[in-house]
Amino acid sequence: MTKKGGEIIMSDYFITEVSTSASDTNEQIVTLLETEGIHKDKNLDYTCAMFDEDMQVIATGSCFSNTLRCLAVSSAHQGEGLMNQILTHLISVQFSRGNTHLFLYTKCSSAPFFADLGFYEIANIKNQIVFMENKRNGFSSYLEKLEQDSAMQNAKLLETIISKDNLLVKEKTTKLSTFVSEEKCILLAEEKNTESADALSKVSKPNTLTESSAANLQKTPGSVKTAALVINANPFTLGHQYLVEKAARENDILHLFIVEEDASLIPFSIRKRLVLEGTSHLPNIIYHDSGPYIISKATFPGYFQKDEQAVMESHAELDLAVFIKIAETLHITKRYIGEEPFSETTGIYNKVMAEKLPENGIDCIIVPRKQYIDTENKRKNDTKDMPSHSFPISASTVRQAIKEENFTLLKQLVPETTLQYFESEESIPVIKKIQATKDVIHH
């Protein structure tokens, strides 16, 4: 290291990629991270390290998808501009991958430093984590797009509903005209028009779901019952369908967010298609790709937290902070969440949401899981408040059934549209991927 005009020149330091097989270097990275109060994240697809003249790791950083993670500089070298160099290296790697919209998670105390390097706050959990991106108007543009997409889908829904209603009225009117013509003599002779009056009243009354939906869609935002639901649908099950149907039935508009990141065994394009097909009978849904702002539990960075409970609480609170801004934009007043009777960590997530959402004027509706009867294995369920041999439908159970090629059980767990996909040749690569995965419960 040399100095020139007060500037520190890192002539003896260099940065390089670190492979997972470089055990000694990875041990040094873990030690450095832990010294700085950070755990090595389980979700990393690129790691680099900066070495001094003695080949000791003095700074490190990693990537996962379009995020920067596990950034640290040895306390002995802080103030030398090393983090700036690590970030420059990682951003170059990301750009070479085609990822130009980048995100990072950092401690609140470090946020001003990253702000000086061109990152902007999206949301924060006080005294814990700040979620940042490298686009000044990234999140605000996302909210604007949600609003525009909602307006467009709303208009299309209304147009479709009115079109269906017009066809319905035309059909009823044609039938009524035929009826009146055929029965005219009898009606005049007997001076009875009760049946025709009843038939006419049916044409004019809004007695269909679509007619009611059309009226609801034309209400002012404040008077519309608007709810939201976020699902990963890996894959879409009868449990998901039950939850969506309940939320759609109880509200005028349902905003359905589908987690977009491809961290699941089933690709997003397939998951989204199965959701659309499995809910096509519901006329009041507005669909949204989650984008990079709603993240799944599978990829939420837990390297700042001491244990799994703290990670889940942080994920729920960060999700909450982002969702509140989305809710304000779309006038959402309810969020539906599926009950989790078995997973303690997901139960913690639900508890945080149930406590915090009402504080922000949003009702949190936790819906009990739809059940299926295990007629094949006759297992006994000892879970409180559930019938013996009755089990909650979950995507994990579906993936396990696919892994075991148990299509008899699969038919009990998924809608016809999902079943048709997994019985098709198109699904073979996905099925092979599921079957090749050792643990399909947590994917």
Side-chain angles (χ1 to χ4, degrees):
M1 180 178 68
T2 60
K3 289 187 178 182
K4 183 178 180 181
E7 182 183 0
I8 299 174
I9 308 298
M10 306 302 162
S11 57
D12 298 324
Y13 301 164
F14 68 95
I15 302 173
T16 186
E17 180 181 3
V18 178
S19 70
T20 54
S21 61
S23 56
D24 290 344
T25 301
N26 279 295
E27 284 179 14
Q28 286 190 57
I29 289 173
V30 169
T31 300
L32 172 58
L33 291 172
E34 289 180 349
T35 300
E36 298 304 318
I38 300 172
H39 301 291
K40 189 173 183 181
D41 196 70
K42 62 182 180 181
N43 293 309
L44 302 175
D45 54 29
Y46 180 90
T47 295
C48 72
M50 179 180 283
F51 297 86
D52 65 11
E53 58 271 19
D54 297 320
M55 290 302 295
Q56 297 299 302
V57 175
I58 56 175
T60 185
S62 298
C63 302
F64 179 72
S65 184
N66 60 349
T67 64
L68 308 181
R69 303 186 175 203
C70 297
L71 303 161
V73 173
S74 168
S75 57
H77 293 273
Q78 290 178 8
E80 298 180 13
L82 305 193
M83 182 55 73
N84 200 338
Q85 293 185 61
I86 290 289
L87 275 177
T88 299
H89 176 84
L90 293 176
I91 290 171
S92 176
V93 169
Q94 290 282 30
F95 277 31
S96 70
R97 294 174 166 183
N99 296 329
T100 57
H101 190 184
L102 305 178
F103 300 83
L104 63 80
Y105 306 85
T106 187
K107 296 176 181 178
C108 295
S109 58
S110 301
F113 170 79
F114 290 108
D116 289 340
L117 295 178
F119 282 82
Y120 303 89
E121 181 179 313
I122 299 165
N124 73 77
I125 308 170
K126 190 175 181 180
N127 299 324
Q128 292 189 54
I129 297 176
V130 181
F131 184 28
M132 308 182 80
E133 64 181 331
N134 67 338
K135 287 190 177 181
R136 183 189 298 273
N137 300 318
F139 188 49
S140 60
S141 296
Y142 170 76
L143 294 177
E144 287 175 12
K145 187 175 185 303
L146 284 181
E147 194 168 25
Q148 291 168 3
D149 288 350
S150 296
M152 288 177 62
Q153 288 191 56
N154 219 359
K156 287 180 181 178
L157 282 174
L158 186 57
E159 184 180 342
T160 302
I161 289 167
I162 290 173
S163 177
K164 287 181 179 178
D165 285 349
N166 287 338
L167 288 173
L168 182 64
V169 170
K170 185 176 181 180
E171 182 183 354
K172 287 182 177 180
T173 304
T174 301
K175 289 181 179 178
L176 178 60
S177 298
T178 303
F179 167 77
V180 171
S181 178
E182 291 176 350
E183 302 296 326
K184 186 176 181 181
C185 294
I186 298 173
L187 290 171
L188 290 173
E190 298 181 0
E191 296 184 348
K192 291 181 180 179
N193 59 3
T194 305
E195 291 183 8
S196 60
D198 288 343
L200 281 167
S201 68
K202 289 179 182 179
V203 173
S204 60
K205 287 181 181 178
N207 58 358
T208 67
L209 177 60
T210 55
E211 288 171 316
S212 174
S213 299
N216 290 334
L217 289 172
Q218 295 179 83
K219 293 178 182 178
T220 57
S223 63
V224 176
K225 291 190 292 183
T226 306
L229 182 58
V230 180
I231 60 174
N232 192 33
N234 184 34
F236 188 72
T237 70
L238 284 172
H240 292 118
Q241 190 179 64
Y242 169 77
L243 182 58
V244 175
E245 287 175 341
K246 177 177 174 62
R249 184 173 61 249
E250 294 176 355
N251 297 277
D252 298 328
I253 295 175
L254 174 63
H255 290 277
L256 182 55
F257 293 85
I258 307 164
V259 175
E260 189 172 354
E261 63 180 349
D262 261 326
S264 303
L265 286 172
I266 301 169
F268 170 69
S269 60
I270 300 299
R271 289 188 288 111
K272 180 179 179 178
R273 192 180 89 196
L274 296 181
V275 170
L276 294 175
E277 291 175 351
T279 59
S280 61
H281 60 293
L282 302 170
N284 59 332
I285 296 178
I286 294 177
Y287 300 91
H288 303 283
D289 299 347
S290 69
Y293 298 100
I294 299 176
I295 57 175
S296 74
K297 294 184 286 293
T299 59
F300 179 75
Y303 51 87
F304 291 113
Q305 307 302 334
K306 60 182 179 180
D307 54 38
E308 192 64 27
Q309 177 171 335
V311 170
M312 193 55 63
E313 289 175 351
S314 295
H315 177 237
E317 291 192 33
L318 192 59
D319 183 14
L320 179 70
V322 170
F323 179 76
I324 288 169
K325 296 178 182 180
I326 293 172
E328 290 172 353
T329 300
L330 300 179
H331 310 287
I332 293 166
T333 57
K334 291 181 187 176
R335 178 166 174 175
Y336 285 72
I337 299 174
E339 181 186 46
E340 181 47 74
F342 296 124
S343 171
E344 183 179 352
T345 54
T346 305
I348 293 168
Y349 178 94
N350 285 358
K351 182 181 178 183
V352 172
M353 298 298 280
E355 289 175 356
K356 300 292 185 179
L357 280 172
E359 293 177 6
N360 292 275
I362 302 169
D363 293 333
C364 181
I365 315 298
I366 300 179
V367 181
R369 293 281 192 98
K370 183 178 178 64
Q371 308 290 308
Y372 77 97
I373 305 299
D374 187 359
T375 56
E376 192 173 65
N377 298 317
K378 298 295 183 183
R379 294 178 297 154
K380 188 171 182 180
N381 183 6
D382 297 324
T383 306
K384 185 181 178 182
D385 300 329
M386 288 187 189
S388 180
H389 308 304
S390 179
F391 293 83
I393 294 175
S394 72
S396 296
T397 308
V398 170
R399 294 192 298 272
Q400 190 65 40
I402 293 169
K403 181 178 175 66
E404 297 171 357
E405 297 184 340
N406 188 344
F407 277 76
T408 301
L409 175 58
L410 189 64
K411 290 177 182 179
Q412 291 185 260
L413 305 176
V414 299
E416 185 63 29
T417 47
T418 301
L419 183 63
Q420 287 174 358
Y421 168 74
F422 282 107
E423 288 180 335
S424 71
E425 290 187 4
E426 182 189 359
S427 70
I428 291 174
V430 173
I431 290 175
K432 286 183 177 179
K433 184 178 180 181
I434 291 172
Q435 291 175 341
T437 302
K438 185 176 181 181
D439 177 15
V440 298
I441 300 300
H442 303 293
H443 284 73

